[in-house]
Structure formats: C-alpha cells, structure tokens
Amino acid sequence: MKMFYVRMLAVVFTIAAFIGVNSLSAFAAAEPDWVNKVVQVTGMGAQPARAVNPAQARMMARRAAVADAYRQLAESIKGVNVDAETTVENMMVTNDTIRTKVSAMIQGAVVVAEKEIQGGYEVTMQVPIFGVQNSIAQAILPETSTTTVPETFPAPTVTVPSSGGYTGLIIDCRGLGLKPVMSPVIKNDAGVAIYGHKNLNPDKVIANGMADYAYDTSTNVARAGSNPLIIKAVSLDGGVLRGNPVVSTADANRILSENNVSHFLENTSVVFVR
C-alpha cells in the first residue's frame, strides 16, 4: 500500500484498532455516481462479543461501520477521473497540498443513512464531486486567482449563420464508450479544443462542474435548458479513459457560432449523453 494512502487513513485505522471491532464488508471501490455527482459508500461493522451490554455493542459496531466507510471512500475517491489522463490518485502522489485537502475532505464526509442490522451496524456516507464545500473539486481543482482570466473560446474556422435561441448543448456520445471525467474537453476532428476548463471561471467549475452526464436526450438534461443544440459526437479522445467527445469540424463551427449568440458554453450548460 502506498505511503500517502497509509498516512491518510492512519487515524481511521487507529480508531478501529482501539475500539477493537471488525468491519463486515470486503469492499470493492465504489463507482462515482455521475448523475447525482457524488461518491457514496456503505460501511458495515460487527457487534463485538466483548461488549458489556447491547448499547455498547451497538455503539462499537457503528464506529466500525464508520471506519469501514472512511476506508471505502478513500479507495473510491482516489480512482475518480479528473481528466482524460489523470486520476485523483495521480494528483495526490505529486502534490502534498492536494493530498492533505483530500484527506480532510474524506474526514468531513456526510452520513446520509444509518441503521442497525442483524449482528452489526450499517452507515452510508457521501462526498460530493462538485460544490464549494468539502467536495472533490474543491480539494483538487485550482483555486480562483484575482489574476485568472478565462481563455476566450476559439473562433469558428468558417462563417456559419447563427439562429440563436439555444439554451445549451447536448453532445450525444452513445455507442462510443464515453467515460465521465471531472474536466472534459470537447474537440473537433482536427484535434482543436473548443470547450475546456481553461475557457471557464474556476469558481463555476468547482461549484457545478463543466457538464452533466445522461443516458438519453430526455432524462437528466435540464442543465442544457429547454431548447438545446444537439450534436452527435464522431469519436472520443483521451487515451484509455476516453473522456473527451470529438465532433466534426462543421459541427464545432456551428457550436461556436451559436455560442457567440447564446453563450451557453460560458454558462456550462452542457450535457454529455453516454
């Protein structure tokens, strides 16, 4: 086990060893819920035989369940894809400040449900992927600087008439195997980025993310508004993670032309259908 992970969880394991109770779960890392934009895990703890009464047994089982949930959160969060090439774990290995922030974020996880179960206790805990307080984005994305000025969006390579009135953008990536990432980039088929975090206000990215993910063009697409521009992706970019949609150059020009009128990209009114 890598040293940073050991340090991050030292407090959790110390508590668990002190109270002398065992976890019931043999966990696998939970997949992030990209629709609700949270990482959620359920920890379980067994009631110890040495408890002097049922109340103490319940309390010790709950502590074990919480320790188990912390351990699962740490494992799950480090696997979250930040962009098409980077995970949270990569950033923690190379940056002590991020490692400290992620550790504090895990310790601040919220209990969203708990209950006593036969022979033990169950606790469900959650950390938001985005948000201004105790989120993964807050821990790993750059803080806003007074000198930070978003890059302008590229100009269309050819003049395209704009109809106006579009409230957002939906990129249909179905059938391509798109993997959700925290910081996606939309590119044209010549490899030119037309939408990415460098074009956006960092506070907005941390608070709400850059895009929502959906499974069809009618569910979980409210972010794109009532009259979205719908574009079909032609491929994906981003190596193994395949997190960046690629659209044709003609469609990229249309997106940029319409955005000059409606500014839906600046408003992060973007949805990826996968």
Side-chain angles (χ1 to χ4, degrees):
M1 185 176 291
K2 296 181 179 179
M3 186 55 65
F4 77 86
Y5 188 44
V6 173
R7 287 199 298 266
M8 184 171 66
L9 293 174
V11 173
V12 174
F13 287 133
T14 299
I15 292 172
F18 176 75
I19 61 178
V21 291
N22 296 319
S23 159
L24 289 173
S25 68
F27 71 89
E31 290 291 326
D33 179 349
W34 289 99
V35 172
N36 295 305
K37 291 178 273 195
V38 297
V39 175
Q40 181 171 297
V41 301
T42 297
M44 292 185 288
Q47 293 182 355
R50 65 182 181 85
V52 298
N53 56 52
Q56 186 187 53
R58 183 169 56 252
M59 177 186 68
M60 296 173 76
R62 185 185 186 279
R63 289 181 182 176
V66 169
D68 181 44
Y70 279 139
R71 186 167 64 249
Q72 292 188 56
L73 280 172
E75 185 70 19
S76 299
I77 287 169
K78 73 177 186 179
V80 170
N81 298 325
V82 179
D83 56 35
E85 299 178 345
T86 311
T87 65
V88 172
E89 181 178 22
N90 301 146
M91 301 183 74
M92 291 169 66
V93 169
T94 58
N95 190 310
D96 287 340
T97 300
I98 287 177
R99 183 165 62 244
T100 299
K101 287 182 177 180
V102 171
S103 179
M105 175 197 62
I106 291 171
Q107 295 303 312
V110 176
V111 175
V112 295
E114 59 181 285
K115 63 181 179 181
E116 191 172 4
I117 59 176
Q118 185 174 4
Y121 208 88
E122 181 178 283
V123 174
T124 300
M125 299 181 75
Q126 185 179 97
V127 167
I129 297 176
F130 299 103
V132 295
Q133 299 241 340
N134 203 50
S135 70
I136 299 174
Q138 183 199 34
I140 66 171
L141 296 181
E143 295 180 356
T144 304
S145 167
T146 55
T147 61
T148 299
V149 178
E151 295 180 6
T152 57
F153 289 94
T157 56
V158 297
T159 302
V160 178
S162 303
S163 60
Y166 286 112
T167 56
L169 173 65
I170 295 177
I171 303 292
D172 188 348
C173 304
R174 285 177 290 187
L176 298 175
L178 179 73
K179 296 182 186 297
V181 299
M182 293 182 65
S183 183
V185 176
I186 301 173
K187 298 183 178 183
N188 67 18
D189 53 14
V192 177
I194 66 168
Y195 178 73
H197 74 89
K198 293 181 180 180
N199 307 117
L200 303 171
N201 179 294
D203 282 343
K204 187 171 291 187
V205 175
I206 289 172
N208 301 309
M210 294 174 55
D212 280 355
Y213 288 90
Y215 291 102
D216 58 56
T217 56
S218 61
T219 305
N220 199 47
V221 295
R223 184 175 184 139
S226 59
N227 185 36
L229 173 62
I230 302 176
I231 299 293
K232 179 68 178 176
V234 297
S235 63
L236 301 175
D237 178 70
V240 176
L241 294 183
R242 297 173 63 78
N244 297 330
V246 177
V247 300
S248 70
T249 296
D251 282 338
N253 287 331
R254 185 182 180 197
I255 291 168
L256 292 170
S257 295
E258 294 293 351
N259 184 65
N260 285 338
V261 177
S262 302
H263 304 291
F264 47 77
L265 296 181
E266 290 92 329
N267 294 326
T268 68
S269 301
V270 177
V271 175
F272 297 145
V273 178
R274 63 191 185 104

